[in-house]
Amino acid sequence: MKNLIKNILIVLVFAGMIGCDTFEPIDENRLEFDDISVFPERAEGILLNGYTGLVSQYSFSEAATDDAVNNKLSNGYKRMALGELNAQFNPAARWNSYERVFWMNRFLQIINAGEIVWSRQDDINKLFYDRLKGEALGLRALHHFYVLQAHAGKNASGELLGIPYFTEFIEADGNFNVPRLSFEATIQAIIKDLDEAIALLPTDYTNSAADIDAKYAGINIDSYRKVNGAQNSLRLSGRIAKALKARVALFAASPSFLNDQGYYNTAANVAADVLNTIGGVAGLSPNGLEFYTSDSNVQGDEMLWRGTIGGNSVTYERRMFPPSVNGTGEINPTHNFVMAFPMSDGTPATQANGFDPQAPYANRDPRLEKYVVLNGASFGGGTINTGLGGGIDRLDSIPEFSTTTGYYLKKLLQPEVRINSDGTTSGKRHANVYFRYTELFLILAEAANEIGGPDSQVNGISARDVIAAIRNRAGITQPDNYLASITTKDAMRELIRNERRIELSFEGHRFWDLRRWGKSLNETAKGYFFDGNKYIELPSVEIRNYQPFATYMPIPNAETIKFSELEQNNGW
């Protein structure tokens, strides 16, 4: 009874406290937008959302092209290549980049209100305002470009359409039902944002007074370093925004889109403007071939723009290493890709030029063995045999582990990583790279050739100059007589495209390049197998099944259902 009375009293006490609002909820401990003018770092936190979702080299979308097969049956790019691409299933879709667009618009809305004080010093306050606004405009342009690259296309009437371009923040209950701009109007909107960003941003983030842009003359050096110092070197700069502008202009000029000399001119001139600041073709980095293998390779050498280099890991190696060295062999380069590498003297790999089908890797471009694990190669701490007697590394030995083509991927992987059978690992650092100087050189080469042919000079650089420097770095025997024999725009175009295929391989470019060039996506993936006596070509490892209108991918079906103004691309 005593315990019962005690329990009743306890209940009555708590009931009384509740009745007196003793436990009335307090305000949630959360940040509000009104706090931003008081705490500027919170506004900058909104801007930093623009640095999420940046596209690096680790997409492995080559499995959707003639360069590779993914050995995982559930892989999205594999399913897409086999015929499943549609408006409901599109692993290459980028519509969600609009989320970052609206974050940037929110930030610009806040900063343009003029209420935020970044510093009590007027000069520092102005530097912060310009830089952060420039970053937001540049990132808004980039995320719009991601959407455009994936979803531009022709409607049922044959009109080339772009995407909706949002320059204002829209509340959740606002009007998102807006039509697509024309393709060219979208390009112009992207370039306008990039041009504004270039005007506001420093060319580079630096602590050196000698490297500061002339537009900052008169600014106190300590004030400048506080805002635009080297501590910001991984953020969007004027140099990076110019490189992005060249990429966008080349995309716009391409045959599947505007096929326009004006945009080729823009791409070539902007690329040359940046490249001449590093010495033109003489500035092509000797580290460019294997830019991903060095912990010390810093932004400004081959990596024009990269993210933070993380800690030691084995993530990509576990996915890509052959099974005998404890990987799952996921990406298998095709024999199509292997045959894109020339002979060591630079001539195409044909029997007329010395290619031997029974010694297929002899006297080949040195880049081949750097980027592909060939039959009999040493890699990952073991010897990899993909032919008869190769054990679990042999072609088709273990479903979804062993190679399906006779090759394993080597490029982008850290060769010193070890994945041990006892579960221990020895990892290496990896960098997400968003833009390499080699890509910018190839943009210049492609655009300059389309303007005036192999020897057309753009600010002192020609397509021939660029391709000569790239092939020389690769180790092609000099003199490069094959390159010297190229005299027409058409022949140089094919060579540039092949060099781009090799140099930017497995960095997420091939799928987009084939589409912008209007080339077939349906080239059958081939393999190569050593049967113990001879090599045998496997002509049909994977038969691709893209619709004829797949050059222009679909707008997500869920979006066209929600928004009546959003016109779908033809065929989807």
Side-chain angles (χ1 to χ4, degrees), residues 71 116 127 144 154 190 254 382:
N71 70 11
I116 300 177
L127 288 170
H144 272 114
K154 294 180 178 179
I190 292 172
S254 299

Side-chain angles (χ1 to χ4, degrees), residues 85 518-522 545-553 570-572:
L85 175 63
K519 305 292 283 185
S520 174
L521 294 168
N522 281 326
N545 185 26
Y546 287 97
Q547 296 290 344
F549 43 82
T551 292
Y552 308 112
M553 293 198 299
N570 183 46
W572 302 107

